[in-house]
Amino acid sequence: MSSEARQFGDLATQLVQEARRSTLTDTLLKYNDTLVRSIVREQRQLDTLITQTLAQDVTFTGSNPAALLYQTAIQRNKRCLLAYHSHRTDRLRDMYWAVGGALPHLLANTDIRAKLAPHEVDYLREYNASIIEFRSDFTAELDIAASITHPPKDLHVLVRVVRDCGAIQTEVGSIDFRYGQRYMVRRADIEHLIVQGYLQEV
Amino acid sequence: MDDDYYSIDSILAENQKIQCTFKVDIPDLGHLDGGHERDIKALSKIQLPLWMTYILIFSDYADFTVPAPFSSRVKNALNAECKSVRLSALVGAGASWYAFGKIVMRLLAQDAARDMGAVLTTAFRERLLEVIDQAQHFAALGHIGGAGQSNDTAAAFREGLDATERELFALAQDSARSTKQWYESTDRGRR
């Protein structure tokens, strides 16, 4: 059996260390599907071991140190798995808010998309749906996706186009934003384009 | 460091090993030691990660010895001059001496735990001044330490910082930088 070569919980430690590395370097690492699967397999093995140990223990008196140790290892692995996943969802939510809640923009980025597990994409979609439902009650009064680190000082803003983004409907009609041009526009109309990096404030 | 269930730091801190002396035989688990014994025999000494030891100690299957980073030798050194103890060398790179100590405290009896807590907080408080002082002046003065210390002492102290102190050092440096930036910037002409 493979768990004899290594110590219980070693794989789980690797997983948690990956989460820490991700925090330290402030990057999203690729979802480690292989490692997660190996840990889940280790969990099954441990479960079998408990069953076996208790089956052999015919004179069970409520105290069986071996079974207790397997149980502790299972709980440890579970904690590591949960911590890894909660660390990732935290990161994903941060990324979601960093682009002002523009999920299609986030998922269109192939670099990011390649690092996500399928169920993480599902998670983001459902999270997005919940946010949209919450926002819909007061979209006219308040945009909760707006930046709070740099509060706007004017209603209008002078922007420079850093990436083509096509025709956008504004209060003065449709504007076709082309690379290199400058416009004076109403902030509320193009706020999301600044956040997503199409426009730059001058 | 917090004790949150999902805290990555807390999980990694529990990977530190301590020495346990078993009081009972446990069959088929000899591999925990990395050795080739089939079973764990009573009175055998094994290095185990902390997370595995709670249950053994609380169920009275094993005893533990206070790990070397918190031995009386280290305590005496801290009493003499806590700034000259290299915490990072005690627990290994990237690990937190304070977090380790906090966990060991949980395993100790009440009086011993209180003493240990006092050692941890005193060391932290007395070292913190130097940490922040050096962080504030690190960028400005290059490699000269705070409070007119010589170059070497300051550098040695910086190398001896444990993970918690390193984090605080980086934060204090950032804060000094942003304060300077804010102080030198003006809101005029930016609207």
Side-chain angles (χ1 to χ4, degrees):
Chain A
M1 202 185 61
S2 60
S3 69
E4 265 169 26
R6 54 184 147 72
Q7 177 79 257
F8 295 145
D10 276 1
L11 291 175
T13 303
Q14 273 179 38
L15 198 65
V16 175
Q17 249 152 8
E18 214 173 276
R20 168 135 94 170
R21 221 175 303 136
S22 156
T23 312
L24 288 179
T25 54
D26 200 23
T27 44
L28 181 77
L29 300 172
K30 193 176 179 334
Y31 181 79
N32 200 334
D33 196 46
T34 355
L35 197 51
V36 170
R37 272 172 207 281
S38 324
I39 296 171
V40 173
R41 215 161 28 235
E42 186 180 325
Q43 296 287 68
R44 295 224 177 86
Q45 283 171 357
L46 285 165
D47 185 52
T48 328
L49 282 172
I50 291 192
T51 324
Q52 278 172 7
T53 319
L54 290 181
Q56 281 162 13
D57 192 356
V58 277
T59 56
F60 184 66
T61 50
S63 139
N64 187 322
L68 211 52
L69 272 178
Y70 295 135
Q71 163 82 355
T72 315
I74 289 181
Q75 276 169 350
R76 171 74 177 179
N77 282 340
K78 179 179 165 190
R79 184 177 176 196
C80 292
L81 281 171
L82 286 173
Y84 177 73
H85 288 91
S86 97
H87 161 87
R88 283 191 67 94
T89 46
D90 276 355
R91 262 214 100 75
L92 293 179
R93 280 199 304 274
D94 282 352
M95 285 165 59
Y96 174 84
W97 286 106
V99 294
L103 187 63
H105 176 72
L106 200 66
L107 292 180
N109 186 333
T110 45
D111 229 28
I112 295 176
R113 188 67 186 257
K115 286 173 180 157
L116 299 179
H119 53 258
E120 285 177 325
V121 177
D122 292 346
Y123 169 78
L124 275 174
R125 290 222 170 94
E126 274 170 42
Y127 184 69
N128 187 38
S130 309
I131 297 286
I132 288 176
E133 197 193 314
F134 177 65
R135 275 166 74 172
S136 62
D137 289 343
F138 46 79
T139 25
E141 299 88 39
L142 174 71
D143 179 13
I144 52 163
S147 163
I148 50 165
T149 44
H150 299 289
K153 293 188 175 170
D154 278 315
L155 274 178
H156 290 81
V157 63
L158 184 62
V159 291
R160 188 159 54 93
V161 184
V162 280
R163 258 158 75 196
D164 284 351
C165 55
I168 304 292
Q169 284 299 329
T170 66
E171 57 162 359
V172 291
S174 162
I175 299 181
D176 187 16
F177 287 98
R178 291 236 174 250
Y179 177 71
Q181 290 173 321
R182 290 181 178 212
Y183 296 94
M184 189 67 165
V185 280
R186 205 163 67 113
R187 194 174 189 106
D189 289 337
I190 50 86
E191 177 83 56
H192 58 289
L193 294 173
I194 298 181
V195 177
Q196 289 166 30
Y198 286 101
L199 306 179
Q200 217 171 43
E201 275 182 74
V202 182
Chain B
M1 187 202 71
D2 48 15
D3 289 329
D4 189 71
Y5 183 80
Y6 297 105
S7 158
I8 300 285
D9 288 334
S10 166
I11 290 179
L12 287 175
E14 288 190 350
N15 260 338
Q16 289 278 358
K17 294 194 170 179
I18 64 172
Q19 179 155 311
C20 288
T21 313
F22 280 86
K23 293 178 179 171
V24 290
D25 290 338
I26 305 179
D28 292 330
L29 274 166
H31 62 85
L32 286 181
D33 195 18
H36 305 291
E37 300 287 323
R38 206 179 114 77
D39 305 335
I40 292 177
K41 292 266 178 292
L43 295 180
S44 61
K45 289 188 165 71
I46 292 184
Q47 294 269 343
L48 286 178
L50 277 167
W51 59 264
M52 206 183 277
T53 55
Y54 296 133
I55 194 76
L56 292 172
I57 291 162
F58 294 141
S59 314
D60 209 26
Y61 292 139
D63 261 338
F64 76 106
T65 28
V66 174
F70 307 97
S71 63
S72 52
R73 204 174 59 83
V74 175
K75 274 182 198 161
N76 289 338
L78 283 170
N79 270 336
E81 176 54 74
C82 59
K83 282 176 212 152
S84 58
V85 178
R86 289 195 177 205
L87 298 184
S88 66
L90 291 173
V91 284
S96 168
W97 183 77
Y98 297 104
F100 188 14
K102 228 177 107 186
I103 297 173
V104 173
M105 264 174 71
R106 276 187 231 149
L107 298 173
L108 290 165
Q110 209 163 28
D111 285 350
R114 202 177 304 127
D115 287 350
M116 179 117 154
V119 170
L120 290 175
T121 38
T122 323
F124 184 74
R125 234 181 260 144
E126 287 185 20
R127 288 168 63 93
L128 185 65
L129 280 180
E130 182 72 13
V131 172
I132 304 297
D133 197 12
Q134 283 205 21
Q136 296 278 340
H137 298 100
F138 191 59
L141 300 175
H143 297 292
I144 304 161
Q149 276 180 328
S150 77
N151 210 334
D152 291 347
T153 332
F157 177 73
R158 272 199 304 278
E159 273 167 35
L161 296 182
D162 94 319
T164 319
E165 290 169 338
R166 253 163 234 265
E167 214 178 300
L168 289 170
F169 186 89
L171 284 175
Q173 245 183 325
D174 276 352
S175 129
R177 203 175 302 127
S178 335
T179 314
K180 194 160 169 278
Q181 233 168 40
W182 170 76
Y183 194 66
E184 287 171 357
S185 72
T186 158
D187 214 26
R188 223 174 298 145
R190 265 215 314 196
R191 281 183 62 102

